[in-house]
Amino acid sequence: MNIAADPYERTEVRDGMRITWHQRITMADGLVLRADVYRPVGDTPCPVILTYGIYGKGLAYQDGYPMQWGKMVADYPEILTGSTNRYQNWETTDPERWVPHGYAVVRVDSRGAGWSPGFMDPASPLEIEDLYQCIEWAGTQPWSNGKVGMLGISYYAGNQWRVAGKHPPHLAAIIPWEGQTDRYRDSGYHGGILCQFQERWAKHQVANIQYGRGDKAKKNPNTGESVAGPVTLTDAELAKSRVDAFEELKKHPLFDEWHRSRTADLSLVKTPLLTCANWGGQGIHPRGNFNGFTETPDTTPKWLEAHGDSHWSLFSSNYGLDLQKRFFDHFLKGMANGWDRQPKVLLNVRHPGEKFVLRAEKEWPLARTRWTKLYVDPANQALSAEPLARAGKIEYEALGNGVTFWMPPIEKDTEITGPMTAKLFVSSSTQDADLFLIVRVFDPAGKELTFMGSTDPNTPIANGWLRASHRRLDPLRSKPYRPYHPHDRAEPLTPGEIYECQVEIVTSCIVVPAGWKVALTVRGKDYEYDGELSQFGKQFHYGTRGTGGMTHNDPADRPADVFGGRVTLHAGGGRESYLLLPIIPAA
């Protein structure tokens, strides 16, 4: 088929942009992917911002994600000014914010999604091969200046890490905004425990935009066409054209070659990068964002930013746009705008009341961190500044609410910012045990402090997980503040025998006011916020009382005969069970 005969690809000028709908991009195997291209009306070559992903390039943000859109514009009404918002698309940038600024925006539907035919296999190696070719296509068009940047959230961020490691010649800079790097540890199997997020995700965000849903799908309000391709397939035909993402994940309970092929090798990333993390994204993204900064080579031009609030809002706010534009203007346009003097680390330091204070830093983790061990005291259910001389223990139901250990009230405002870990000595009445750790903060009246996290309005301070049979460490990759588990084999427990378990707790940030308390809860199941839910918390499909859809209740993964029974925590007498906190001294 030549372009002239293509019944779908066409170009028009509207809203100050030259838009090509359903641009054909042919892959090496002959499959034609489709993209929407937004660019300036003139002929001057410009840099390109490209995304490749699964959510449907034609699905209007307002139609596909009405709850998220409504909350975002209520919290940040600035988003409604300066743009018609007709071209807003989930987790990608608004072309009306960039085309007038001298950029082209290219949105590619991934294989099997939206307007791109083919077999849908999310995050597969083939998608990265496709993405490489799309970058090279965009970098060699007559309207391109040869420099391609990638900017997007989550799915549109995670694949940036992977393709950057393959060094496409025209990829000049990336901004992975809240995007994972390790699909096993970051989101698939937390500490070796199967996460159910992909089960929800496939239902709410993927099935409705698969190529071939045709007239059963929503319409693009700008073109009047289906967002899921020009053909309508049966449900059986659709099922044959996609992987069941959650069922496929369940086939790989260990970190095997399947997971390795979907995980970024950060040591290969040389592309200039700005990695943007969310303190409240526990269970899916921030681990990847922080590791993306620390594990890429020191020679890579790289910057780290960390923020709070929802998964989607700050990306589209004036704060996010200013940051993104300064970075891309420097690396894609070559502008001397001072970015080369930008501090390497920019933190929105979190305080109670959804308050954030912007602060620049030079490194990560912060060099002045006071790594502070708080020792578990079973008899008093306390966290003590000194290890216990006498041995003690405390028992709880292995699938129950567990036990909470408390610090005394904080004497002065205290900042906790950075990665955390816990070492626990554990025995079980069965051959395994799942450990769910939550770092929590309570005000003087005993009310728990939670935040609007990336996907849940009642997110606690920090979470960590570990399946005890996955306790073995990789000594070369582990750090004092971050244990690293290879997850390549399971080593069952002998009932009653005591084992040392080091648990990674996802990086977080909070300034605890004087008089408040910090606590560590060790449970046998997911955290559940027990306070009153807002209307958003009640209705949002990822709002699972604090876990943001990151639940771990699959019965096949956690059978009661293996993970039930009783768990005992041991401390003292030479067994130093503790929580390690990154305390930041006051300036």
Side-chain angles (χ1 to χ4, degrees), residues 114-134:
W115 269 70
S116 292
F119 187 78
M120 180 190 279
D121 186 4
S124 66
L126 183 54
E127 285 199 345
I128 302 306
E129 293 178 23
D130 287 348
L131 178 50
Y132 185 110
Q133 294 174 58
C134 290

Side-chain angles (χ1 to χ4, degrees), residues 57-379:
K57 62 182 176 58
L59 179 61
Y61 201 141
Q62 299 89 331
D63 291 342
Y65 298 84
M67 286 197 70
Q68 293 95 315
W69 175 262
K71 180 164 179 55
M72 178 173 70
V73 297
D75 294 344
Y76 297 90
E78 66 209 50
I79 292 169
L80 295 174
T81 63
S83 171
T84 69
N85 290 295
R86 294 189 186 113
Y87 309 96
Q88 286 274 24
N89 193 214
W90 174 246
E91 295 190 337
T92 67
T93 196
D94 179 1
E96 288 187 278
R97 304 289 185 180
W98 289 89
V99 172
H101 196 59
Y103 285 82
V105 174
V106 176
R107 293 175 176 162
V108 186
D109 278 339
S110 56
R111 222 172 250 253
W115 269 70
S116 292
F119 187 78
M120 180 190 279
D121 186 4
S124 66
L126 183 54
E127 285 199 345
I128 302 306
E129 293 178 23
D130 287 348
L131 178 50
Y132 185 110
Q133 294 174 58
C134 290
I135 291 167
E136 291 308 290
W137 175 88
T140 55
Q141 296 306 297
W143 39 262
S144 169
N145 74 349
K147 292 185 180 295
V148 178
M150 294 189 68
L151 168 64
I153 308 175
S154 190
Y155 204 96
Y156 300 107
N159 55 20
Q160 295 180 40
W161 299 109
R162 296 167 65 200
V163 77
K166 294 185 176 294
H167 311 131
H170 290 89
L171 183 62
I174 61 173
I175 306 179
W177 192 286
E178 300 189 32
Q180 61 188 298
T181 61
D182 182 333
R183 293 186 67 84
Y184 186 93
R185 295 166 183 82
D186 293 354
S187 67
Y189 285 83
H190 294 131
I193 309 168
L194 176 66
C195 176
Q196 296 170 291
F197 173 76
Q198 287 198 39
E199 188 175 27
R200 288 186 178 87
W201 171 77
K203 174 184 177 181
H204 289 287
Q205 294 187 245
V206 179
N208 57 348
I209 47 75
Q210 182 182 355
Y211 177 86
R213 283 193 59 83
D215 58 19
K216 294 182 287 186
K218 293 182 182 292
K219 297 285 192 296
N220 180 337
N222 296 304
T223 67
E225 299 166 300
S226 167
V227 301
V231 300
T232 303
L233 304 177
T234 65
D235 289 346
E237 289 172 321
L238 288 167
K240 289 180 180 179
S241 297
R242 67 174 184 262
V243 164
D244 184 319
F246 186 60
E247 290 302 316
E248 191 65 25
L249 177 67
K250 290 168 68 174
K251 296 176 184 177
H252 303 274
L254 299 175
F255 186 70
D256 57 11
E257 186 54 39
W258 185 85
H259 286 288
R260 195 170 291 108
S261 72
R262 289 159 169 75
T263 293
D265 184 343
L266 295 170
S267 70
L268 300 177
V269 176
K270 301 177 182 178
T271 308
L273 65 92
L274 168 61
T275 172
C276 301
N278 188 320
W279 302 121
Q282 304 149 30
I284 187 166
H285 295 131
R287 185 180 184 278
N289 285 112
F290 288 107
N291 287 345
F293 182 75
T294 59
E295 296 185 12
T296 46
D298 291 340
T299 53
T300 298
K302 55 184 177 178
W303 288 262
L304 169 67
E305 183 271 352
H307 55 267
D309 212 311
S310 67
H311 174 53
W312 51 89
S313 296
L314 284 178
F315 176 83
S316 297
S317 71
N318 288 347
Y319 167 83
L321 282 168
D322 175 69
L323 198 64
Q324 297 155 15
K325 285 181 176 178
R326 288 194 294 117
F327 179 77
F328 274 163
D329 282 351
H330 182 74
F331 285 105
L332 303 186
K333 289 185 174 182
M335 290 177 58
N337 61 0
W339 184 269
D340 54 330
R341 299 186 301 276
Q342 172 76 15
K344 286 294 184 180
V345 176
L346 192 64
L347 306 179
N348 287 273
V349 178
R350 188 164 61 171
H351 297 249
E354 304 285 347
K355 177 185 174 184
F356 295 87
V357 178
L358 195 63
R359 189 175 75 210
E361 297 286 353
K362 297 178 181 178
E363 74 289 308
W364 184 265
L366 303 184
R368 64 186 184 279
T369 302
R370 291 179 183 165
W371 299 102
T372 303
K373 292 179 180 178
L374 299 171
Y375 296 91
V376 172
D377 178 351

